[in-house]
Amino acid sequence: MNPQRESAPPASSRAAHPARAWLRGRSEVFVGLLVIGVGAFLGAQTMAMHVPDTSTGPGPQLFPGLVSGLMLVLGALLIVQVAREPAVPPTDADPDAESAGIVGELVEGREARRTATHSDWRTVGLVLGAVVAFTLLLQPLGWLLSGALLFFGVSTAFGGRRSLFEAAVALVYSAVVQLAFVAGLGLNLPSGILGGVL
Amino acid sequence: MDTLVLLGGGFASALTPENLLWAFVGVVLGTAVGVLPGLGSAMAVALLLPVTFKLDPTGAFIMFTAVYYGGLFGDSTTSILMNTPGNSSAIATAIEGHRMALRGKASQALATSAIGAFLGAVVSTAVVAFFSGVIIDIALRFGPAEYFALAVFAFVATSAVVAQSMVRGLIALSLGLAIAMVGIDAQSGAARFTLGVPSLFEGIGIVTVTVGLLALGEVLHVASRIHRERDDAQLVRTGGTLWLKRGDLRRAVPAWLRGLGFGLPFGTIPAGGSEIPTFLAYGTERKLSQLRARRGRRPDEFGKGAIEGVAAPEAAASATAGTAMGALLGLGLPTSATAAIMLAAFQQYGMQPGPLLFERNADLVWALLASLFVGSVMLLILNLPFAPLWAKLLLIPKRYLYAGITGFAVLGVYASSYSVTDLWLLILLGLLGFMMRRYAIPVAPVLIAVILGPLAETELRRGLAIGQGDVGVMFTGPITLGIYAVILLAVGIVVVARMRAARRADAPSDRTTSPTA
């Protein structure tokens, strides 16, 4: 599920591949492919679905069939649109243009144009890594430690430099949540290896 | 005057210390998420949903609606003081509001917006309270065909009409419908798209979807742009009196009322929130101002900080909240992302919004409506004198803010089911939300589809079963045909407007006519 990666190399690198050059501003075709993929998956699963034959009238396959067909068409339409009109490089001139939408068109007479964005994959990866680590460690380590680790990971990814201080803030955070939600609201968070201590 | 008696009973319940406390917690939280850009009341309610499971439902819903209203009050503060709209519903306010602030009229702009939001909230809540009987009468005439048409209306309105790009809006819609279909089909017992994973048999929870798309998706999005966003927003200093002078009032009052006129009907239309009426209200005020200038009555102040440009959108935005609650309670129709999550909350407590709610849970409904009045007063007090304090929320270091949100996201999702599988789903949905944000695919249609998808499917199958396979039964009755006529009309207007805009864009001359805010 990372179709965006193709657009990551900065535009300044030498015009390498013709395919790459075409993809600049058109990385969204992968979204279209993803939609087609999901539509095809839905269609295949719908056809292979085991339907208990007690049901009368339109069964459980009607709606999925409709949605699957819709997704195939929409994915194709999106690819055509993106291929014909790639996103323009970002400009600082009109920062609020994209949020106005159709209303902006109606009221302001201006057209919302998609702008290409450049993504910082390192930060995204660090945040994702922290969440994945949390998911893996929650039950063995318990909320107090894994929650603190998650907080520490995200705040470091967002540019926290003083590791010791960030770690202390993270521990305070997870402890306050533990107190408020487990002791206060009665949530049942795993205590993990600290189970005997708490 | 039945309504007054019922409302009186509601006030008796809303004014108990406990419910006052929940309303207060709600308005504080709502204002906070409203002030902070990127966070909204939909996400806040979704995060509150799992942790309030043990609360009594009246208190919980008082808090949820207070968050909803609070979000619409708080979003304009940073629009005015820093030109950073807290939510899309405050973009229109930012245009003139920030210029007023730069001209040294920040206090007046804040007061205009807070009073406008207050008027919108109170009037729309009153409309709902006194017309609830009418809403219920209409709702009682609804059968499968009508409910299906209503769901289709919501789908088309949020995805095709409101979204910038019809294809992207419909993609969001179909993704939501696909997510909603996962699990055991209640009518036939067939397992759909579960891949044999037992924890998927019950479907993907709305909390997981909302938190994944809105909270984790937002965190990833901000992370991807952390080194690119300029952080140079300056807080305009406020000072002087908060009171509006007589001349200001004379200009603001009619604008507030016109804003109400846009907001009230739009709350009942599933248009994904209050963005559209705010822009319509703003556009109308600007045209009126030009008209007045042409007649020589008053110079056109738009572009220099016109008070009407703040008053009308703010009243419009918060007027949608009240009527959206009316559509939710009376019809079971969510018209904004936040209302969609509240519908899920009702289902979590085993209640079904709609005409029967007013009979079966009358105590809750009237306590809720009464507490909306109470909450509006609290919001006015919290936002009028303390607005500059709220803006200081933006001084929280980004890394702690987003680390805290991530923590609450995993906490909420885990607490809603106590299953690690849901955390993996959360990560997938977070990536989906990130991708959607990056490519400007709207999120609201997904939420509306996840909530209304099962309803649409059930009613479609029920209707077709009654008609024994005849599709024509889905298109009978005046209400059904009326709804479809409105859908066709709306789509027609949008298509024509888009084609016109496309033609104008092709003409090379004036593409940058808009005033840059």
Side-chain angles (χ1 to χ4, degrees), chain A residues 103, chain B residues 41 68-69 71-73 75 87-93 158 162 259 262-282 312-324 335-338 444:
Chain A
V103 186
Chain B
S41 54
Y68 188 18
Y69 277 41
L72 289 166
F73 272 76
D75 58 4
N87 265 318
S88 60
S89 49
I91 296 170
T93 312
T158 43
V162 179
F262 281 108
L264 288 174
F266 262 95
T268 61
I269 299 172
S274 48
E275 196 180 325
I276 295 194
T278 58
F279 273 100
L280 290 178
Y282 169 80
E314 274 308 302
S318 73
T320 62
T323 42
T335 55
S336 66
T338 315

Coordinates of all heavy atoms in Angstrom, one line a residue, chain A residues 103, chain B residues 41 68-69 71-73 75 87-93 158 162 259 262-282 312-324 335-338 444:
Chain A
V103 N -17.5 25.3 -4.2 CA -18.0 26.6 -3.8 C -17.1 27.7 -4.2 O -17.6 28.8 -4.6 CB -18.2 26.6 -2.2 CG1 -18.9 27.8 -1.8 CG2 -19.0 25.3 -1.9
Chain B
S41 N -14.1 18.2 15.1 CA -15.0 17.6 16.1 C -15.3 16.2 15.7 O -15.5 15.3 16.6 CB -16.3 18.4 16.2 OG -16.9 18.6 14.9
Y68 N -19.3 19.1 19.2 CA -19.7 19.5 17.8 C -19.9 21.0 17.7 O -19.3 21.7 16.9 CB -21.0 18.7 17.5 CG -21.5 18.9 16.0 CD1 -20.6 19.3 15.0 CD2 -22.8 18.5 15.7 CE1 -21.1 19.4 13.7 CE2 -23.2 18.6 14.4 CZ -22.4 19.0 13.4 OH -22.8 19.1 12.1
Y69 N -20.7 21.5 18.6 CA -20.9 23.0 18.7 C -19.6 23.7 18.9 O -19.3 24.7 18.3 CB -22.0 23.3 19.7 CG -23.4 23.2 19.3 CD1 -23.8 22.1 18.5 CD2 -24.4 24.1 19.6 CE1 -25.1 21.9 18.1 CE2 -25.7 23.9 19.2 CZ -26.1 22.8 18.5 OH -27.4 22.7 18.1
G71 N -16.6 23.0 18.3 CA -15.7 23.0 17.1 C -16.1 24.2 16.2 O -15.2 24.8 15.6
L72 N -17.4 24.5 16.1 CA -17.8 25.5 15.2 C -17.6 26.9 15.8 O -17.5 27.9 15.1 CB -19.2 25.3 14.8 CG -19.4 24.2 13.9 CD1 -20.9 23.8 13.8 CD2 -18.9 24.5 12.5
F73 N -17.4 27.0 17.1 CA -17.1 28.3 17.7 C -15.6 28.5 17.6 O -15.1 29.6 17.3 CB -17.5 28.3 19.2 CG -18.9 28.7 19.5 CD1 -20.0 27.9 19.2 CD2 -19.1 30.0 20.0 CE1 -21.3 28.3 19.5 CE2 -20.4 30.4 20.3 CZ -21.5 29.5 20.0
D75 N -13.2 27.4 15.7 CA -12.4 27.4 14.4 C -12.2 28.8 13.9 O -11.3 29.0 13.1 CB -13.1 26.5 13.4 CG -14.6 27.0 13.1 OD1 -15.0 28.0 13.7 OD2 -15.2 26.3 12.3
N87 N -10.6 25.0 10.9 CA -11.4 23.9 10.1 C -11.8 24.5 8.8 O -11.8 25.7 8.6 CB -12.6 23.5 10.9 CG -12.4 22.3 11.8 OD1 -11.7 21.4 11.3 ND2 -12.8 22.3 13.0
S88 N -12.3 23.7 7.9 CA -12.7 24.2 6.6 C -13.9 25.1 6.8 O -14.1 26.0 5.9 CB -13.1 23.0 5.7 OG -14.1 22.3 6.3
S89 N -14.7 25.0 7.9 CA -15.8 25.8 8.0 C -15.5 27.2 8.4 O -16.3 28.1 8.4 CB -16.7 25.2 9.1 OG -16.0 24.9 10.3
A90 N -14.2 27.5 8.6 CA -13.8 28.9 9.0 C -12.9 29.5 7.9 O -12.4 30.6 8.2 CB -13.0 28.9 10.3
I91 N -12.8 28.9 6.8 CA -12.0 29.5 5.7 C -12.6 30.8 5.3 O -11.9 31.8 5.1 CB -11.9 28.5 4.5 CG1 -11.1 27.3 5.0 CG2 -11.2 29.2 3.4 CD1 -11.1 26.2 3.9
A92 N -14.0 30.8 5.1 CA -14.6 32.0 4.7 C -14.5 33.1 5.7 O -14.3 34.3 5.3 CB -16.1 31.7 4.4
T93 N -14.5 32.8 7.0 CA -14.3 33.8 8.0 C -13.0 34.4 7.9 O -12.8 35.6 8.2 CB -14.6 33.2 9.4 OG1 -15.7 32.4 9.4 CG2 -14.6 34.2 10.5
T158 N -22.6 14.2 -0.8 CA -21.3 14.3 -0.2 C -20.2 14.1 -1.2 O -19.1 14.7 -1.2 CB -21.1 13.4 1.0 OG1 -21.6 12.1 0.6 CG2 -21.7 13.9 2.2
V162 N -20.4 18.0 -3.5 CA -19.5 18.8 -2.7 C -18.1 18.7 -3.0 O -17.3 19.7 -3.0 CB -19.8 18.5 -1.2 CG1 -18.9 19.3 -0.3 CG2 -21.2 18.7 -0.9
G259 N -26.9 35.0 7.2 CA -26.1 33.8 7.4 C -27.0 32.7 7.9 O -26.8 31.5 7.5
F262 N -28.8 30.9 5.3 CA -28.0 29.9 4.5 C -27.8 28.6 5.4 O -27.9 27.5 4.9 CB -26.7 30.5 4.1 CG -26.8 31.3 2.9 CD1 -26.7 32.7 3.0 CD2 -27.1 30.8 1.6 CE1 -26.8 33.5 1.9 CE2 -27.2 31.6 0.5 CZ -27.1 32.9 0.6
G263 N -27.5 28.8 6.6 CA -27.1 27.7 7.5 C -28.2 26.8 7.8 O -28.0 25.5 7.8
L264 N -29.4 27.3 8.1 CA -30.4 26.5 8.6 C -30.8 25.4 7.6 O -30.8 24.2 8.0 CB -31.7 27.3 9.0 CG -31.5 28.2 10.2 CD1 -32.8 29.0 10.4 CD2 -31.4 27.3 11.5
P265 N -31.1 25.7 6.4 CA -31.5 24.6 5.5 C -30.3 23.7 5.2 O -30.5 22.5 5.0 CB -32.0 25.3 4.2 CG -31.4 26.7 4.3 CD -31.3 27.0 5.7
F266 N -29.1 24.2 5.1 CA -28.0 23.4 4.7 C -27.7 22.3 5.8 O -27.1 21.3 5.5 CB -26.7 24.2 4.4 CG -26.6 24.5 3.0 CD1 -27.0 25.6 2.4 CD2 -25.9 23.5 2.2 CE1 -26.9 25.8 1.0 CE2 -25.8 23.7 0.8 CZ -26.3 24.9 0.3
G267 N -28.0 22.6 7.0 CA -27.8 21.6 8.0 C -28.5 20.3 7.8 O -28.0 19.2 8.1
T268 N -29.7 20.3 7.1 CA -30.4 19.1 6.9 C -30.0 18.4 5.6 O -30.5 17.4 5.3 CB -31.9 19.5 6.7 OG1 -32.1 20.3 5.6 CG2 -32.4 20.1 8.0
I269 N -29.1 19.1 4.8 CA -28.7 18.5 3.5 C -27.4 17.8 3.8 O -26.4 18.4 4.3 CB -28.5 19.6 2.5 CG1 -29.9 20.3 2.2 CG2 -28.0 19.0 1.2 CD1 -29.8 21.5 1.3
P270 N -27.2 16.5 3.4 CA -26.0 15.8 3.6 C -24.9 16.3 2.7 O -24.5 15.7 1.7 CB -26.3 14.4 3.3 CG -27.7 14.3 2.8 CD -28.2 15.7 2.7
A271 N -24.4 17.5 3.1 CA -23.4 18.1 2.2 C -22.0 18.1 2.9 O -21.1 18.8 2.6 CB -23.7 19.6 1.9
G272 N -21.9 17.2 3.9 CA -20.6 17.0 4.5 C -20.1 18.0 5.5 O -19.0 18.1 5.9
G273 N -21.0 18.9 5.9 CA -20.6 19.9 6.9 C -21.0 21.3 6.5 O -22.0 21.5 5.8
S274 N -20.3 22.2 7.1 CA -20.8 23.6 7.0 C -20.0 24.5 6.1 O -20.1 25.7 6.1 CB -20.8 24.2 8.4 OG -19.6 23.9 9.0
E275 N -19.2 23.8 5.2 CA -18.3 24.6 4.4 C -19.1 25.4 3.3 O -18.8 26.6 3.1 CB -17.3 23.7 3.7 CG -16.1 24.4 3.1 CD -15.1 23.4 2.5 OE1 -15.0 22.3 3.0 OE2 -14.5 23.7 1.5
I276 N -20.0 24.7 2.7 CA -20.7 25.3 1.6 C -21.5 26.5 2.0 O -21.4 27.6 1.4 CB -21.7 24.3 0.9 CG1 -20.8 23.2 0.2 CG2 -22.5 25.0 -0.2 CD1 -21.5 22.4 -0.7
P277 N -22.4 26.4 3.0 CA -23.2 27.6 3.4 C -22.3 28.8 3.8 O -22.7 29.9 3.6 CB -24.0 27.1 4.6 CG -23.5 25.8 5.0 CD -22.8 25.2 3.8
T278 N -21.1 28.5 4.4 CA -20.3 29.6 4.8 C -19.8 30.4 3.6 O -19.8 31.6 3.6 CB -19.0 29.2 5.6 OG1 -18.3 28.3 4.8 CG2 -19.4 28.6 6.9
F279 N -19.5 29.6 2.5 CA -19.0 30.3 1.3 C -20.1 31.0 0.6 O -20.0 32.1 0.0 CB -18.3 29.3 0.4 CG -16.9 29.2 0.7 CD1 -16.4 28.1 1.4 CD2 -15.9 30.2 0.3 CE1 -15.1 28.0 1.7 CE2 -14.6 30.0 0.6 CZ -14.2 28.9 1.3
L280 N -21.3 30.4 0.6 CA -22.5 31.0 0.0 C -22.8 32.3 0.7 O -23.1 33.4 0.1 CB -23.7 30.1 0.0 CG -23.6 28.9 -0.9 CD1 -24.8 28.0 -0.8 CD2 -23.4 29.4 -2.4
A281 N -22.7 32.3 2.1 CA -23.0 33.5 2.9 C -22.0 34.5 2.6 O -22.4 35.7 2.4 CB -23.1 33.1 4.4
Y282 N -20.8 34.1 2.5 CA -19.7 35.1 2.3 C -19.9 35.8 0.9 O -19.8 37.0 0.8 CB -18.3 34.4 2.3 CG -17.2 35.2 1.8 CD1 -16.6 36.2 2.6 CD2 -16.7 35.0 0.5 CE1 -15.6 37.0 2.1 CE2 -15.7 35.8 0.0 CZ -15.1 36.8 0.8 OH -14.1 37.6 0.4
A312 N -21.7 36.9 8.6 CA -22.6 35.9 7.9 C -22.1 34.5 7.9 O -22.8 33.6 8.3 CB -22.8 36.4 6.5
P313 N -20.8 34.3 7.6 CA -20.3 32.9 7.5 C -20.4 32.2 8.9 O -20.7 31.0 9.0 CB -18.9 33.0 7.0 CG -18.8 34.3 6.4 CD -19.8 35.2 7.0
E314 N -20.0 33.0 10.0 CA -20.0 32.3 11.3 C -21.4 31.9 11.7 O -21.6 30.8 12.2 CB -19.5 33.3 12.3 CG -18.0 33.3 12.4 CD -17.5 31.9 12.6 OE1 -17.9 31.2 13.6 OE2 -16.7 31.4 11.8
A315 N -22.4 32.8 11.5 CA -23.8 32.4 11.8 C -24.2 31.2 11.0 O -24.9 30.3 11.5 CB -24.7 33.6 11.6
A316 N -23.8 31.2 9.7 CA -24.2 30.1 8.8 C -23.6 28.8 9.3 O -24.3 27.8 9.4 CB -23.8 30.4 7.4
A317 N -22.3 28.8 9.7 CA -21.6 27.6 10.0 C -22.3 27.0 11.3 O -22.6 25.8 11.2 CB -20.2 27.9 10.4
S318 N -22.6 27.8 12.3 CA -23.1 27.1 13.5 C -24.6 26.9 13.4 O -25.1 26.0 14.1 CB -22.7 27.9 14.7 OG -23.5 29.0 14.8
A319 N -25.3 27.6 12.4 CA -26.7 27.2 12.2 C -26.8 25.8 11.6 O -27.8 25.2 11.9 CB -27.3 28.3 11.3
T320 N -25.8 25.4 10.9 CA -25.9 24.0 10.3 C -25.9 23.0 11.4 O -26.5 21.9 11.3 CB -24.8 23.7 9.3 OG1 -23.6 23.8 10.0 CG2 -24.8 24.7 8.2
A321 N -25.2 23.3 12.5 CA -25.0 22.3 13.6 C -26.4 21.9 14.2 O -26.6 20.7 14.4 CB -24.1 22.8 14.6
G322 N -27.2 22.9 14.5 CA -28.5 22.6 15.1 C -29.4 21.8 14.2 O -29.9 20.8 14.6
T323 N -29.5 22.3 12.9 CA -30.4 21.5 12.0 C -29.9 20.2 11.7 O -30.6 19.2 11.4 CB -30.8 22.3 10.8 OG1 -29.6 23.0 10.3 CG2 -31.8 23.4 11.1
A324 N -28.5 20.0 11.7 CA -27.9 18.7 11.4 C -28.3 17.8 12.6 O -28.6 16.6 12.3 CB -26.4 18.8 11.3
T335 N -25.8 14.4 8.4 CA -25.5 15.3 7.3 C -24.1 15.8 7.3 O -23.7 16.6 6.5 CB -26.5 16.5 7.3 OG1 -26.4 17.1 8.6 CG2 -27.9 16.0 7.0
S336 N -23.3 15.4 8.4 CA -21.9 15.8 8.4 C -21.1 14.7 9.0 O -21.7 13.7 9.5 CB -21.7 17.1 9.3 OG -22.0 16.8 10.6
A337 N -19.8 14.7 8.9 CA -19.0 13.7 9.4 C -19.2 13.5 10.9 O -19.4 12.3 11.4 CB -17.5 13.9 9.1
T338 N -19.3 14.6 11.6 CA -19.5 14.4 13.1 C -20.9 13.8 13.4 O -21.0 13.0 14.3 CB -19.4 15.8 13.7 OG1 -18.3 16.5 13.2 CG2 -19.3 15.7 15.2
A444 N -15.0 12.8 4.1 CA -16.3 12.7 4.6 C -17.2 11.7 3.9 O -17.9 11.0 4.6 CB -17.0 14.1 4.5

